[in-house]
Amino acid sequence: MTDIQQVVPAPQDTAGRFRAFGARHLEELLRRGGLSDADRLAVRAVATVLPFRTNSYVLDELIDWTAVPDDPIYRLVFPQPDMLPTGDVDRIAALLASGAPDSGIRALAHEVRMRLNPHPAGQLVLNAPSMDGTVLPGLQHKYPETVLFFPKQGQTCHAYCTYCFRWAQFVDEPDLKMSTDHIDTLVAYLRRHPEVTSVLITGGDPMIMNSTVLRRYVEPLLDPSLEHIESIRIGTKSLGYWPRRFVTDPDADDTLRLFEEVRATGRSLAFMAHYSHPRELSTPIAARAIQRVRDAGAVIRTQAPLIRTVNDDAATWAEMWRVQVRSGMVPYYMFVERDTGPQDYFAVPLARAHEIFRDAYASVSGLSRSVRGPSMSATPGKVCIDGVAEVAGERVFVLRMLQARDPGLVGRPFFARYDPKAAWLSDLVPAFADRFPFESPPTELVA
Ligand SMILES: *Cc1c(COP(=O)(O)O)cnc(C)c1O
Ligand code: SF4
């Protein structure tokens, strides 16, 4: 314990200034967790492939260091030695141990990344909208009513989740990034798309931007010519990872004023708040941040993926929803871990995911049952596992689309053969049909 205090920069941040820790701090931090030499090397190898970032608040107030490596918050932000295929980790670890040049390590890390499906659900191409024949970078328009906007300065987070589905945004791979600083382009696009009612500003985490930069993106959306925009949403984990953003940071008050200005135009300002574990809700500063954001007129909806070894039990979710509702938040989505990055490590089979959802859902009041899930954000849309049923003597998953590229498919039940190991839509086979509703019929039938 004492020697740990010596190697880890002490929490000098009693004033609460943001301080990030990255890969170059890993060795010291892992010593604090008491990891063996071999595990520390393996973790550093994983961190050459996947991004690592944490901060003083997560380290000092969220992680229970006496419970490392099993502590859920530790597992939420620290790479795990066995997160990637052993062969890959061993090869990189060998290079690190032999002091190989950076270029060789980077090349190998790149090779491993390319095998991790960096852009799931075809998001770089399939969802990119265009205007006057030009593809618009940094925007995604998948469902008619909602446009996603990736502001250039919002493409990091206060800490990185080990399971992050946007991990490709954070690593040194320029071809894998999407972002823009052209707010005028977004405004022009929205003027031409009256069907869009909601703009979701996302990242990374847009709340990493200071209020001056955030304002530059949000204010143009309040223009009277964009009356059809009913809500501005901010996808963020800042309430969990850096609640001081809304309480003690120098621009906290100005940020809250910006939210009030959105409200004053008659629009909803919605936080799509990512909470992975009830511990993120447990500190006094986290409660204070929630209160202040709500007092500014924002509605906070909560969502997170179900992650093996972090939050894969019903009691954890039930507690999380209860605390959220008690603090005036609205539980919104439970997601299935997406088919990217270390999915094999974190995935919970769909059958088990549904059990966890149902057990948690059954144990909370109706106020928490605004939540939907478990939901897969897949290429055709958001597919919800509604249950497992016995139909005509066959055991099947009952599925339903919560969102679809084709809105005609939303809310219509369909079936897949029960498979206890299936962990993603691509593992499923249609039941009572030769294709899923979102799949096009074979071309000869069309003809
Ligand atoms: C989830 C999602 C949305 C928002 O869907 P809601 O159901 O309205 O919250 C929009 N675009 C994409 C690409 C999404 O994955
Ligand atoms: S907060 Fe979201 S974008 Fe940021 S690391 Fe976590 S999952 Fe990724």
Side-chain angles (χ1 to χ4, degrees):
M1 198 70 199
T2 39
D3 55 338
I4 289 155
Q5 299 298 332
Q6 282 155 19
V7 285
V8 177
Q12 342 168 320
D13 279 318
T14 35
R17 221 165 32 83
F18 181 73
R19 170 136 198 245
F21 293 78
R24 69 200 165 84
H25 302 105
L26 254 180
E27 182 64 24
E28 290 111 270
L29 293 170
L30 297 170
R31 282 177 192 272
R32 181 171 174 182
L35 265 70
S36 70
D37 293 355
D39 279 349
R40 292 201 313 274
L41 181 63
V43 170
R44 282 171 46 219
V46 171
T48 66
V49 176
L50 297 170
F52 166 68
R53 187 182 214 214
T54 187
N55 67 56
S56 38
Y57 171 78
V58 174
L59 290 175
D60 299 330
E61 299 198 40
L62 292 188
I63 293 175
D64 174 1
W65 287 95
T66 64
V68 168
D70 298 327
D71 182 65
I73 307 292
Y74 172 81
R75 302 184 67 85
L76 176 62
V77 296
F78 277 84
Q80 300 301 312
D82 48 354
M83 238 169 88
L84 294 175
T86 323
D88 292 333
V89 176
D90 290 350
R91 278 162 72 208
I92 300 173
L95 290 186
L96 285 174
S98 69
D102 267 7
S103 56
I105 297 172
R106 256 187 275 135
L108 185 48
H110 171 82
E111 182 201 313
V112 175
R113 278 180 201 137
M114 293 308 107
R115 277 188 264 120
L116 295 175
N117 188 24
H119 277 291
Q123 56 182 349
L124 268 193
V125 281
L126 279 177
N127 304 328
S130 51
M131 190 164 59
D132 302 327
T134 309
V135 175
L136 307 177
L139 297 189
Q140 280 186 31
H141 193 182
K142 182 169 181 179
Y143 309 128
E145 69 285 352
T146 306
V147 167
L148 269 54
F149 181 68
F150 295 77
K152 190 169 138 230
Q153 298 88 339
Q155 300 312 310
T156 55
C157 301
H158 291 97
Y160 292 148
C161 312
T162 37
Y163 58 69
C164 178
F165 72 109
R166 295 258 169 82
W167 61 274
Q169 294 281 83
F170 310 137
V171 292
D172 182 23
E173 301 276 354
D175 290 350
L176 297 183
K177 296 194 187 195
M178 47 187 182
S179 74
T180 180
D181 52 4
H182 294 177
I183 185 68
D184 299 346
T185 309
L186 173 62
V187 169
Y189 182 80
L190 293 173
R191 282 205 185 107
R192 293 201 207 169
H193 287 271
E195 77 279 15
V196 177
T197 55
S198 189
V199 174
L200 170 52
I201 305 174
T202 184
D205 192 328
M207 293 316 304
I208 202 90
M209 297 189 283
N210 67 35
S211 63
T212 313
V213 179
L214 185 63
R215 193 173 276 281
R216 257 189 263 142
Y217 287 112
V218 170
E219 274 178 349
L221 300 174
L222 307 180
D223 193 272
S225 69
L226 298 180
E227 201 131 296
H228 55 294
I229 303 304
E230 296 162 3
S231 62
I232 294 172
R233 311 196 217 178
I234 297 179
T236 184
K237 202 172 190 356
S238 54
L239 284 169
Y241 278 164
W242 192 252
R244 293 167 187 167
R245 176 71 185 80
F246 307 98
V247 185
T248 53
D249 276 7
D251 60 341
D253 289 353
D254 191 48
T255 303
L256 298 172
R257 266 198 299 278
L258 177 63
F259 298 167
E260 284 166 3
E261 287 163 34
V262 174
R263 288 290 301 125
T265 68
R267 294 178 173 89
S268 160
L269 190 278
F271 258 45
M272 310 311 289
H274 175 183
Y275 284 111
S276 317
H277 193 277
R279 186 152 340 131
E280 294 169 278
L281 295 150
S282 67
T283 66
I285 189 102
R288 189 88 190 93
I290 293 161
Q291 189 61 51
R292 297 198 87 208
V293 168
R294 292 192 55 236
D295 287 349
V299 49
I300 306 174
R301 297 180 188 276
T302 62
Q303 54 188 30
L306 173 64
I307 302 295
R308 193 178 69 84
T309 71
V310 172
N311 60 17
D312 55 338
D313 68 280
T316 299
W317 284 86
E319 186 190 344
M320 193 152 64
W321 295 336
R322 267 197 216 106
V323 178
Q324 288 165 359
V325 165
R326 180 191 292 211
S327 339
M329 300 188 261
V330 185
Y332 192 64
Y333 277 132
M334 176 201 273
F335 291 120
V336 176
E337 164 69 353
R338 289 172 75 150
D339 55 338
T340 179
Q343 185 211 16
D344 290 345
Y345 183 74
F346 287 120
V348 176
L350 301 177
R352 176 77 191 124
H354 177 260
E355 265 173 26
I356 291 171
F357 179 87
R358 187 206 49 207
D359 289 350
Y361 190 85
S363 71
V364 293
S365 96
L367 292 178
S368 289
R369 292 188 191 167
S370 47
V371 68
R372 280 96 30 88
S375 167
M376 293 177 270
S377 287
T379 308
K382 285 187 167 69
V383 179
C384 182
I385 300 118
D386 270 342
V388 173
E390 190 92 14
V391 179
E394 194 178 335
R395 201 147 189 235
V396 292
F397 286 114
V398 183
L399 305 169
R400 174 174 57 115
M401 300 202 75
L402 301 171
Q403 279 290 4
R405 284 171 194 289
D406 171 3
L409 300 176
V410 171
R412 299 179 193 280
F414 59 102
F415 305 95
R417 284 195 213 144
Y418 180 76
D419 172 355
K421 289 207 208 68
W424 193 248
L425 192 58
S426 51
D427 300 333
L428 295 178
V429 177
F432 316 123
D434 52 11
R435 59 184 178 87
F436 287 124
F438 48 78
E439 292 169 334
S440 28
T443 36
E444 60 272 29
L445 288 185
V446 174

